[in-house]
Amino acid sequence: MSAWNEDRLTRLKRLWPQGRSADWIARELGGGLTRNAVLGQVRRLGLSSVAGNRAPRPSRQEVPALVAPAAGSATILSVRRTDCRWPYGDPAEKSFSLCGSPVRRGAFCAAHAALAYRGPATPIDALMAFAERVP
């Protein structure tokens, strides 16, 4: 027996163009429907391309480029807890060093943290647009 009866389908067709989220619609329709069930039905009904079904999201602000030091100023013996531990060079070489700048996030300075801790490679908006195009 399908969870999608005529009443639920009618309500889905009315709520989706209003810009309601799939999660909100699933809760509104009740009966144990999930967000994914709603998205699947939206896709099957061809509602995903309905104009105006989502409010525009604010654009991401550009983060100014952070400049990391060209070479490390700390060694494995001199680095402290408050010093960046970004490695420079091969640990087997005498020239090996660690950044040594003040820590801003985790074990790294701001510039190296920006490299080490990255957000999603693809913004969620692009993933959602792709999901709407997939047959």
Side-chain angles (χ1 to χ4, degrees), residues 63-67 86 104-105 108-119:
V63 178
L66 300 171
V67 179
W86 189 268
R104 299 293 293 182
R105 182 175 175 206
F108 305 117
C109 64
H112 288 127
L115 295 172
Y117 307 116
R118 294 186 179 196

Side-chain angles (χ1 to χ4, degrees), residues 69-80:
S73 62
T75 66
I76 197 75
L77 298 175
S78 69
V79 71
R80 299 174 305 197

Side-chain angles (χ1 to χ4, degrees), residues 80-103:
R80 299 174 305 197
R81 271 190 330 180
T82 59
D83 296 337
C84 178
R85 295 178 188 92
W86 189 268
Y88 283 95
D90 183 350
E93 300 292 324
K94 276 190 166 188
S95 62
F96 178 74
S97 62
L98 302 172
C99 175
S101 298
V103 167

